[in-house]
Amino acid sequence: MAAELVEAKNMVMSFRVSDLQMLLGFVGRSKSGLKHELVTRALQLVQFDCSPELFKKIKELYETRYAKKSSEPVPQPHRPLDPLTMHSTYDRASSVPRTPLTGPNIDYPVLYGKYLNGLGRLPAKTLKPEVRLVKLPFFNMLDELLKPTELVPQNNEKLQESPCIFALTPRQVELIRNSRELQPGVKAVQVVLRICYSDTSSPQEDQYPPNIAVKVNHSYCSVPGYYPSNKPGVEPKRPCRPINLTHLMYLSSATNRITVTWGNYGKSYSVALYLVRQLTSSELLQRLKTIGVKHPELCKALVKEKLRLDPDSEIATTGVRVSLICPLVKMRLSVPCRAETCAHLQCFDAVFYLQMNEKKPTWMCPVCDKPAPYDQLIIDGLLSKILSECEDADEIEYLVDGSWCPIRAEKERSCSPQCPILVLGTSDANGLPTTPNVNGGGGSALGGAGGGGSAAGGVENGKPGADVVDLTLDSSSSSEEDEDEDEEDEDEDEDGPRPKRRCPFQKGLVSAC
């Protein structure tokens, strides 16, 4: 089998553009593109789907081409040569490692990479950039089984099918079998399928095409569904994540066939296969604690920088408050964390942040609602130290010199003007309770004209006093109080104002709210 693959690839590499187009048209593949693109497409076809009919067609095209040149000696590269001599035949100046071809899993990009990428035959400016996918924090890539490959429609139908055939190496099978289980039936080492837009300008997020269905060997694989939307008029969103194919694959040297069904509506998509190790939120937290802690002195310098006086600003900032409560779960912070790109000093809890992104990856800062990816997270060493030293406060304030002070909840000592006031204390000679006065004066609770603490229109230190109502008196005594007031008015007219009395209770006002 290895010899037939080598022979078929040698024949394909000697084809002209017309031969390559005939071969790709024979299997229903796209015939457009430059020569090195056609060669790459044909070699992929030979590598992953070399059926007897395809091999027969390659041989027929090769013999037809060289039959017209009977006078010329038949070139030798089509013979099953040793891989080393075959490689040197086409690129003697190549420094690519010469690995022997030992089976159907031939890494042809290593062997034919310089020719397929056009470095040896075409100028560098004709190189076509490759599609790249973003790195996922919860997946460590172990091997690349299939590079991002564009899904090419075979006809004008809206529903298309794109097959892919590959086999795992014994080492890869052993890695999967020996990996631990994250949950029943789910291994930590997995074969995942990733799909994205065919955009080479930047690393792409996972994005599913319409009407996607994935079939592995003879069974369909489950694909994440849509999130229901509670808002009217808003379409439900679909979480696009790597699709785990491991449980449906043959964990042996047998070939696996994957068929992707997708809707052709004008947009171009690419698929890729990877062998990955899935991580948990606790593993990412431990890694963050190991390499992501920012020294307290660096955090203190950042605080000073934030509070530094700006000569162009008319407002001077003397301090900034930071809450010790996580904005995600409204609990006290345990591992204060934020992104280095965030402009604020407020932190969130790394434990809950990683757990939430493990379930539904968004990687958005809960404070400023800006991207906060895992590789930009830091643990605030200064706030971690403050949390261990300040256990009785839920908020602190950073000062301009980098120091801090706790902000504790103070008890309200003043009462609201809208609340009635209860007067606690002794009564005067007329049986009326006295009004406490912080300046030492006392008077009648019902607004006697001689008291400095008078409630009805009285003035204390040049300011109008608060209304004081005695709730202990009932309505039956209202007539007696009116008579007492009349008598007091007459006495004041004759003898002058009554001297002020000191109230024995300086703090006798209690809110009745």
Side-chain angles (χ1 to χ4, degrees):
M1 182 65 181
E4 292 180 356
L5 280 174
V6 173
E7 184 179 6
K9 289 185 176 182
N10 288 335
M11 293 179 184
V12 168
M13 292 181 66
S14 65
F15 282 173
R16 296 176 178 175
V17 174
S18 58
D19 301 328
L20 293 170
Q21 291 176 342
M22 291 182 64
L23 176 62
L24 293 172
F26 174 74
V27 294
R29 298 294 178 90
S30 174
K31 300 183 290 182
S32 61
L34 301 176
K35 181 176 180 180
H36 71 277
E37 296 175 346
L38 299 178
V39 172
T40 303
R41 209 172 296 155
L43 287 176
Q44 287 179 346
L45 188 66
V46 173
Q47 173 69 30
F48 297 114
D49 196 8
C50 189
S51 60
E53 293 80 8
L54 179 64
F55 184 77
K56 182 180 179 181
K57 182 64 176 180
I58 294 174
K59 197 170 183 180
E60 177 184 338
L61 289 172
Y62 183 82
E63 292 175 351
T64 302
R65 176 192 171 193
Y66 284 102
K68 300 176 182 179
K69 301 182 179 181
S70 56
S71 59
E72 299 180 5
V74 178
Q76 297 302 318
H78 71 281
R79 297 181 181 177
L81 301 177
D82 184 271
L84 301 181
T85 59
M86 184 232 16
H87 183 70
S88 59
T89 302
Y90 286 94
D91 195 353
R92 298 183 182 275
S94 174
S95 59
V96 179
R98 300 175 178 179
T99 54
L101 307 178
T102 56
N105 293 317
I106 304 169
D107 191 6
Y108 67 88
V110 174
L111 190 61
Y112 302 98
K114 296 197 73 174
Y115 176 75
L116 296 181
N117 291 336
L119 292 178
R121 305 296 176 91
L122 296 172
K125 64 180 180 180
T126 62
L127 289 178
K128 186 177 181 180
E130 296 182 351
V131 176
R132 296 167 295 159
L133 288 102
V134 296
K135 294 182 179 180
L136 301 178
F138 287 100
F139 294 91
N140 274 351
M141 189 178 72
L142 303 178
D143 281 325
E144 186 179 55
L145 304 178
L146 175 65
K147 288 185 176 183
T149 305
E150 185 176 352
L151 294 175
V152 180
Q154 307 300 322
N155 47 49
N156 295 328
E157 298 293 331
K158 292 300 182 183
L159 207 59
Q160 300 285 329
E161 285 190 357
S162 298
C164 171
I165 299 176
F166 73 100
L168 298 172
T169 64
R171 181 186 67 86
Q172 294 167 347
V173 172
E174 204 65 24
L175 281 174
I176 297 175
R177 287 180 174 173
N178 295 337
S179 64
R180 62 187 179 89
E181 285 192 349
L182 299 176
Q183 50 185 315
V186 179
K187 292 284 191 178
V189 177
Q190 308 167 1
V191 175
V192 297
L193 174 72
R194 298 186 65 182
I195 309 178
C196 66
Y197 288 130
S198 298
D199 185 0
T200 59
S201 60
S202 62
Q204 297 297 301
E205 301 276 355
D206 291 69
Q207 184 65 47
Y208 297 157
N211 310 116
I212 182 176
V214 180
K215 187 176 182 181
V216 182
N217 295 322
H218 303 290
S219 303
Y220 280 96
C221 182
S222 61
V223 180
Y226 288 90
Y227 286 144
S229 177
N230 298 326
K231 298 180 180 179
V234 178
E235 295 184 0
K237 295 183 179 180
R238 187 174 201 166
C240 298
R241 304 176 183 175
I243 304 173
N244 185 10
L245 312 178
T246 315
H247 59 289
L248 299 176
M249 294 181 57
Y250 300 134
L251 297 181
S252 63
S253 58
T255 57
N256 294 274
R257 183 180 181 90
I258 298 174
T259 304
V260 179
T261 305
W262 53 285
N264 179 24
Y265 294 96
K267 292 186 178 180
S268 180
Y269 295 86
S270 294
V271 297
L273 284 171
Y274 300 102
L275 183 70
V276 300
R277 185 186 302 276
Q278 186 174 354
L279 305 177
T280 62
S281 59
S282 57
E283 290 174 316
L284 288 187
L285 177 63
Q286 189 60 38
R287 181 189 296 178
L288 186 62
K289 288 181 177 179
T290 304
I291 63 175
V293 180
K294 194 167 186 176
H295 196 274
E297 290 300 324
L298 296 177
C299 298
K300 188 174 182 180
L302 180 62
V303 172
K304 292 181 180 180
E305 180 69 21
K306 293 287 184 184
L307 297 178
R308 188 177 62 180
L309 180 62
D310 187 0
D312 298 331
S313 176
E314 297 179 356
I315 302 175
T317 305
T318 59
V320 59
R321 291 191 175 190
V322 172
S323 175
L324 303 183
I325 303 299
C326 175
L328 286 171
V329 291
K330 308 304 179 185
M331 295 173 58
R332 188 177 174 87
L333 293 169
S334 59
V335 185
C337 171
R338 68 173 181 273
E340 281 189 308
T341 53
C342 290
H344 51 80
L345 297 174
Q346 179 64 51
C347 291
F348 47 86
D349 202 310
V351 178
F352 298 107
Y353 184 71
L354 293 176
Q355 288 177 356
M356 292 176 67
N357 280 281
E358 185 178 20
K359 300 296 182 183
K360 184 181 178 181
T362 58
W363 300 106
M364 300 296 290
C365 175
V367 179
C368 61
D369 201 28
K370 293 182 179 179
Y374 176 77
D375 56 357
Q376 293 180 358
L377 297 180
I378 58 145
I379 295 177
D380 193 317
L382 178 60
L383 199 56
S384 298
K385 184 179 179 182
I386 293 173
L387 285 167
S388 61
E389 295 177 0
C390 181
E391 299 181 354
D392 57 344
D394 293 336
E395 192 176 16
I396 64 161
E397 183 175 5
Y398 285 125
L399 305 178
V400 291
D401 59 351
S403 60
W404 62 275
C405 62
I407 299 177
R408 297 180 176 88
E410 297 181 359
K411 296 182 179 179
E412 295 292 338
R413 295 183 179 180
S414 61
C415 300
S416 171
Q418 300 176 356
C419 299
I421 304 298
L422 293 180
V423 181
L424 303 181
T426 59
S427 59
D428 58 8
N430 297 324
L432 298 177
T434 58
T435 305
N437 193 325
V438 295
N439 295 326
S444 174
L446 294 180
S454 173
V459 177
E460 180 181 343
N461 294 335
K463 298 179 182 179
D467 293 339
V468 181
V469 180
D470 183 11
L471 301 182
T472 61
L473 299 179
D474 54 12
S475 60
S476 63
S477 61
S478 60
S479 60
E480 297 177 1
E481 293 173 359
D482 294 338
E483 294 176 359
D484 292 340
E485 288 182 359
D486 295 338
E487 293 176 0
E488 289 177 3
D489 293 339
E490 295 174 358
D491 294 340
E492 289 179 359
D493 294 339
E494 297 175 359
D495 303 333
R498 183 177 302 175
K500 299 179 180 180
R501 294 183 182 181
R502 182 179 297 276
C503 178
F505 299 96
Q506 296 295 331
K507 299 180 180 179
L509 300 182
V510 179
S511 172
C513 295

